[in-house]
Amino acid sequence: MTAALLHSLFHVAAFCMLPPLFLGAINKTKALIAGRRGPALLQVYFDLFKLLRKDMVLSETTTGVFLAGPVVAVVTAIGAGLLTPVAGHGAPLVFAGDFVLFCYLLALGRFFTISAALDTGSPFEGMGAAREAAYSCLAEPALFVGLAALSHVSGSMTLSGIVEGTDIAPISVIALVAAAWFLVLLAENSRIPFDDPNTHLELTMIHEVMVLDHSGPAFGLVLYGAALKLFVMSALLSAVALPFGALHPLPGWAVFLCAMLAMAVIIGAVESGMARLRLNVAPKLLFCASLLSAFALVLLARA
Amino acid sequence: MAPLLLRTRLRAGHAISVVLTLIASLLGAGGALLALSGAAAERLEIVWNWPGGALSLQADGLAGVFLLSIHLIAGLTAVYGLEYWPLRHYPGHGRKLLFFSGLMTGAMTLIVLAGNGMLLLVAWEVMAISGYFLVTAESDKAGVPEAGWNYFIASHASGLLLLAFMAVLGHATGSYNFSDGAATGVDGPTANLLFILALAGFGIKAGIFPFHVWLPAAHANAPSHVSALFSGVVIKMGIYGLVRALWILPAPPAWWGAALLLLGGVTAVYGMAFAVNQQDIKRLLAYSSVENMGIVLMAIGVATLGKTANEPLWIALGLCAALLHVWNHSLFKPALFLGAGAVLHAAGTREMERLGGLAKSMPWTARVVLVGAVAICGLPPLNGFVSELLLYVGLFHVQGAATLSAWPAGAFAIGALSLTGGLALLCFTKLYGVVFSGVPRQVLDSTPRDPGWRMRAPMLLLAAACVLLGLAAPWLLPALGSVAGAWAPGLDVRLALEGAMETARGASVAAGLLLGSVAALWGALRWRARGALGRTMPTWGCGYTAGTPRIQYTASSFAQILAAQFEWLLHPITRTPRVDHLFPGPASFSQNTPDLILERALEPGARRIAEQMIRLRFLQHGRVQFYVLYLAVALILFLVLSQ
């Protein structure tokens, strides 16, 4: 009982504290590949502290929804983190159907991020909001059909059970779903090839352009929420891709940390290796992601 | 009936009739609660000299579920109508509106209580015809007569199919009894025929694809509180009929459930894809009703497959999801329609491209629409999430059952439901963002204001109910579960309900935590921003300082990326200006998305049939004696055939 409680506490602490480090690891990887020294590994923490101390500027067109955007994004990402299983022990919160809550929490965060962007009345932020809504709409089937394929194997209705069940799943199914979810991860978190997190040129972006008017602590929450979401989705993907469901809890944490480091390196490598796709090509890549998930189901139908 | 008796000049006439409606609604809702809490069905049989047998009424749990939403919405929309459609401003059709909404509410009550097929048909016709008069209340406005005709034809098609259903049922069972287990004895082909007739007949009323053609125009053109009544409860009568029909039919083959899942999935995606591309608030809401009926149909499909596969858990999940979603939709959709009515009332238009920035001048309406939008997207912590969650779990059970031949239909439905969820998010962020956020796109004659309390109170009540139902699902599920238990006699649904309860408890706990932590953090950020609230700046224009409200992102451009992806389905009519000179003059862009089935299939088809029918004109020459001859010949023919 106390062991489970300790693990839950550690889980919450890890999911709240590590995301900025994860972002730092990605940035470091990109810098090293490009031959630069790059920002410090802890730079995102410094940025967050700086933003929290700053004052805020609000636009005169905004309403309460504008501040709700970053708040809901952070709260829902933490909530999704509580539902994410880690190798060796399940998630702190488990119930039949929790995977739907996981996906819908992220959707709720998106709803308010988009609404906050539209709340400013800025045409640029409207553009970013429209792209975010359209891309994530096409990414949703890939996520759910992939979940369906994995739950078809394990017969489980909880995220922890689904992830544990991947130990017995055919490698081809795991590979297809992992590939599809990796595309979803890149699209949902506005990474290359869907969006470039580094540019601050308004017309090229999705996520950054939606938060142009947020400043100070509100922008800090935006940054933190984005890092949380990236961390949570990476954690889920690594848990699915690695067959360590029945591991002892303590080595489980070690595996988890190594896997997350590997994820950061992979994401950094992908971002260093390719350019952003043209806006009208990106939806096709997301259709591909849905098809990959669907193929995983077709493979299961044959088995 | 009160408005018929009251004189138009009587100032208090409207108030009196609303008070009477409220009393009736309270009685009806009280009866519904009794029916829901009671284990056994109350029956009333009156022997009547009537073709088809006795006048039989039954008030069981299923009837209670629908009665509750009928009377809640009828009461609230009547109060809303006091301010929205006051009798003294609309002396011409104000009384008509009051009378027929009362009549329609009565007819719907009778439909869900009818234990006899013939009685149901009569009530069905009364509902359909009073609906026609409600849709055509403003028959002098453009588009209204067409919408009315569409509705009228669709209602009659539905009535005819149901007449056929009752006739086949009567022929197969020997009675028109329309209560549980009445037709368990019918053989396979007859049962299949009955299923198809019920799906088509009730499906027309529910707006199931491809029978939805009447719905968008009718809902958009009726007065807003009537639209709320239509979307909130009238289309649910189709769902009621389908659930009742599946109750009385024998054990379903697997293809019934698969057909329901496929049809529901297609309906949901189709409805939402069209909703995304509407620029008229009420048309958008109407298409989203099509989508929601698709979701309910999928849930019924899960329950039906549960009956096929003897899986009580699927029945519990499927039927609870279907009935809960019926309740949910009858809360958030009327809230949104009443909100749209308030916007129309204040700003004088329902074109989203002309609106904007209303959250500043109409804060209460904005809050209600925001709650409705989050709820209708099925997002936690509101009520829509609980029913979609139950449906998802049910669908995952179906697609995980490799022994069931219909499991691919479950996988298809999962894909369709997730795509629908994404589309809904786009659609309703667009609705709220374009209408309420930013700055007004057009200068209006007067600043739009929030309506008075008689319009505001019903909207706020509905929004509050959306929040409450998101938290209270575990306490509602036992009542719905006992309906599911009665729906599938012989299976221990009560025990399986515990599985659904676990899911509902999870959703409820998550909703509570979410509401609490969002409120706390939002309060903290707001407190931190207290200094900035006093000295606001213009939105940053990225260096461009000469912006006008017209450069804001519009509804069409917000949906453009998706419209481009779904062009093969939507066939939007786009008028793009040609900009070819160095200094182009003013130009305009417009895009509208007419209904695919109506414009591309039904109307050309009907026109072709009408052209062919001209050849039969010679039969119709105006000589009465020949008409009498036709009658006599037809009568003799039928007499010979029936021997």
Side-chain angles (χ1 to χ4, degrees), chain B residues 201-246:
Chain B
F202 290 120
I204 291 177
K205 194 80 245 148
I208 302 299
F209 173 89
F211 311 121
H212 65 278
V213 287
W214 63 273
L215 197 148
H219 286 212
N221 286 303
S224 297
H225 59 305
V226 173
S227 312
L229 193 61
F230 260 88
S231 247
V233 288
V234 176
I235 58 173
K236 307 295 189 327
M237 292 300 106
I239 298 298
Y240 165 79
L242 196 59
V243 174
R244 185 69 85 185
L246 285 167

Side-chain angles (χ1 to χ4, degrees), chain B residues 499-576:
Chain B
M501 283 295 282
E502 187 203 338
T503 303
R505 273 194 289 266
S508 174
V509 169
L513 287 176
L514 200 59
L515 273 179
S517 41
V518 165
L521 194 57
W522 187 79
L525 191 63
R526 184 100 179 162
W527 180 78
R528 186 72 176 68
R530 70 196 182 285
L533 283 168
R535 41 172 176 83
T536 51
M537 305 279 200
T539 295
W540 188 43
C542 304
Y544 184 64
T545 51
T548 70
R550 294 287 302 277
I551 69 166
Q552 289 179 97
Y553 231 46
T554 60
S556 321
S557 39
F558 193 76
Q560 191 270 332
I561 299 177
L562 258 146
Q565 298 302 323
F566 281 93
E567 208 176 355
W568 51 273
L569 172 71
L570 298 166
H571 294 281
I573 301 172
T574 311
R575 285 200 3 254
T576 320

